[in-house]
Each structure stands twice: as C-alpha cells, then as structure tokens.
Amino acid sequence: MNQFLIKQRAVIKLYLITFIEKKKMYGTQFLEEIQSQCNQYGFSPSQPEIYKALHDLYKDGIVTRKNQLKGDEGFQEVVIYQFTNDGYEKAKLYKQQIKADLDRSQDLLRKIIKDNYR
Amino acid sequence: MNQFLIKQRAVIKLYLITFIEKKKMYGTQFLEEIQSQCNQYGFSPSQPEIYKALHDLYKDGIVTRKNQLKGDEGFQEVVIYQFTNDGYEKAKLYKQQIKADLDRSQDLLRKIIKDNYR
DNA sequence: AGATGAACATGATGTTCATCA
DNA sequence: TGATGAACATCATGTTCATCT
C-alpha cells in the first residue's frame, strides 16, 4: 500500500481541532482563517472541504454540533462545534497520529531532495 | 487555485530524469529502484505510474525511446530512454521548477507543524 | 516469463447549485 | 444575505487485464 505525502483532508482536520481547542468558531470562519494563514504557501482549500472535514470529526465522535444565532448581526444562524465528553482525548490521539504522518512526510521530502539534487 | 503539497507524478518524473542522467535503464528497473529506495518512507508507486510518467517525459520532448534487447537473458525486449538533443536542457529546467515546489512543500509542512503543535 | 501499456475503478478534491434562517 | 451542505465534475492514482517477444 502506497502512502505518498500526507493528505489535505487530514491537515484540515488538524487545523479544525486546533481552532476548536482555542475558541468556538463556525465553518466560514475556519475557512477564512486557514486561507489567510496559508495562502502564501499556495494552500487554499475550497469551502466544501471544510464542511467535509467537520462532518468527519462529527462522525468520529470527536465534536458536537450546536446551532446558534450569530451574535451581532441579524438572525444569521451558524453551526458551532465543541468537543464531546471524550472528544478532547480522541482529538489529542488523532493529533499525535497526524504528527507522525507529518514527520514522515518531511523525511520523505528531504530524501527526495537529497536523491535528486547535489 | 489551490496547490497543496507536490504531486507524486512530479516526483516520479524527477527520479526518472535523475536515473536517465546516470545510466540507461528501462521501466521495470526504474520502478524497482524507486520502490527499494523509498519504501521505508511509505512511498511505493504502482507500476503503471512509472510508465505514465515516462510517457509524459516523451510527450514533453525530453526523452527518446529505443527498443533494445535485454543483454543477458533470452529475447526479452525493453524500452530504453535517453535525452533528446535539447532534452537535457529541458530536463534541467524542469528539475529547477520541481525544486521550487519541493521547497514550498517543505515550508508548508513546517508551517502546519508550527501552527498546530505546542 | 518478464516488460509494456491500455482499460477500468477508486479516491481526493474542486465547482456549481440549492436551501434555510 | 451569509452560512451550510448536497450533487456533480475532475484530477490523481491504483488495480486489473491484455499483448508482445
């Protein structure tokens, strides 16, 4: 079984977990946050990718969903994500696994460069 | 337009160019060489991927194809790849471009780790 | 039997569109 | 009107199969 570099989906889930650790936010904000931080590296995922990743985390039992009115403006409703009871533990484990894959990806990139550039 | 990490296809073409620089080889050997070198990093592309990448290089006008009998054993015919007249120049340019993408990928991985761990 | 490559299948991600409050 | 998400399309890659010597 082949595993090239880490997948975008995994990285998005990683960012989402980190955001949820820090403060409650909703889909559109997650998207804008990632895009503005990573744009300069060419990384700018599409909007549905964020929701797919959020649904993954929900299906994995890591987060709960809660509809909530957006504070300041009119009647706009947003979906807020928080960790489930054991979600934070699961999330920490998941982050560890992703870290291993990130490290492996770095090692692979280094090897590719070493093999092909003097 | 989103560009996450560098694509496997580009990396395979990079290895092929480096192999062709060093010595003439054919498809199956390219595959075995990459797999044996990169297996420990989880990178183990499939056999048709090698041929697709070789056809890319051919379509790009970087290499020529030559049918040749495999030296030692029976009547086995293999396809040998060599640089075209201006192929080596093109290949060097291509390697530079890939190097930029590899560097960008390393930077992005570093940023992801920095953003999400301790 | 080993090498090459076509055809097909799957997976990852993006684009477009609908819905809801 | 902004947020959410479904449906659809495309691209990257893998699996299976055929062919040729």
Side-chain angles (χ1 to χ4, degrees):
Chain A
M1 164 209 33
N2 182 27
Q3 283 270 81
F4 187 52
L5 299 170
I6 192 169
K7 291 291 188 300
Q8 171 173 293
R9 173 72 56 92
V11 168
I12 293 176
K13 286 167 80 171
L14 174 64
Y15 269 98
L16 294 178
I17 288 172
T18 300
F19 288 145
I20 295 170
E21 278 173 0
K22 288 188 187 155
K23 45 190 181 269
K24 291 173 224 155
M25 287 204 296
Y26 56 93
T28 301
Q29 283 186 333
F30 292 136
L31 175 67
E32 284 165 1
E33 195 68 25
I34 292 179
Q35 285 184 341
S36 72
Q37 281 191 41
C38 300
N39 234 350
Q40 61 179 127
Y41 300 93
F43 178 39
S44 180
S46 68
Q47 171 256 341
E49 278 303 308
I50 304 295
Y51 290 105
K52 287 176 204 166
L54 281 169
H55 296 335
D56 276 3
L57 292 179
Y58 181 71
K59 275 195 308 181
D60 297 342
I62 294 178
V63 298
T64 60
R65 302 161 39 87
K66 197 170 66 176
N67 288 40
Q68 191 172 296
L69 287 181
K70 209 164 105 181
D72 41 356
E73 306 166 33
F75 302 95
Q76 182 69 57
E77 204 175 29
V78 297
V79 181
I80 298 289
Y81 291 83
Q82 294 171 257
F83 291 119
T84 59
N85 282 341
D86 58 342
Y88 186 58
E89 283 309 308
K90 282 187 191 173
K92 278 202 295 190
L93 187 61
Y94 184 72
K95 280 181 84 157
Q96 273 178 247
Q97 290 165 349
I98 296 195
K99 181 63 164 54
D101 203 13
L102 286 164
D103 289 344
R104 182 191 63 81
S105 299
Q106 281 195 321
D107 290 345
L108 179 54
L109 281 179
R110 266 188 228 108
K111 161 125 183 92
I112 292 166
I113 291 172
K114 180 164 142 297
D115 282 349
N116 294 282
Y117 300 93
R118 99 222 64 108
Chain B
M1 163 207 35
N2 182 28
Q3 282 269 82
F4 188 52
L5 299 170
I6 191 169
K7 292 290 189 301
Q8 170 173 294
R9 173 73 57 92
V11 168
I12 292 176
K13 286 167 79 171
L14 173 65
Y15 270 99
L16 294 177
I17 287 173
T18 300
F19 288 145
I20 295 170
E21 278 173 359
K22 288 188 187 156
K23 45 190 181 267
K24 292 174 226 153
M25 287 205 294
Y26 56 93
T28 301
Q29 282 185 334
F30 292 135
L31 175 68
E32 285 166 0
E33 195 69 22
I34 293 180
Q35 284 184 342
S36 73
Q37 281 192 40
C38 300
N39 235 346
Q40 61 179 130
Y41 300 93
F43 179 39
S44 180
S46 69
Q47 171 256 340
E49 278 303 307
I50 303 295
Y51 290 105
K52 288 176 203 165
L54 282 168
H55 296 336
D56 276 2
L57 293 178
Y58 180 71
K59 276 194 307 181
D60 297 342
I62 294 178
V63 297
T64 60
R65 302 160 40 86
K66 198 171 65 175
N67 288 40
Q68 192 172 296
L69 288 181
K70 209 165 104 181
D72 41 355
E73 305 167 32
F75 301 95
Q76 181 70 57
E77 205 176 28
V78 297
V79 181
I80 298 289
Y81 291 84
Q82 294 170 258
F83 290 120
T84 60
N85 282 340
D86 58 342
Y88 185 57
E89 284 308 309
K90 283 188 192 172
K92 276 202 296 191
L93 187 60
Y94 184 73
K95 280 180 83 156
Q96 275 177 246
Q97 290 166 349
I98 296 194
K99 180 63 164 56
D101 203 14
L102 286 164
D103 289 343
R104 182 190 63 80
S105 297
Q106 281 194 321
D107 290 345
L108 179 53
L109 281 179
R110 267 188 227 106
K111 161 125 183 91
I112 292 165
I113 290 171
K114 181 165 140 296
D115 283 348
N116 292 282
Y117 296 93
R118 122 225 55 132

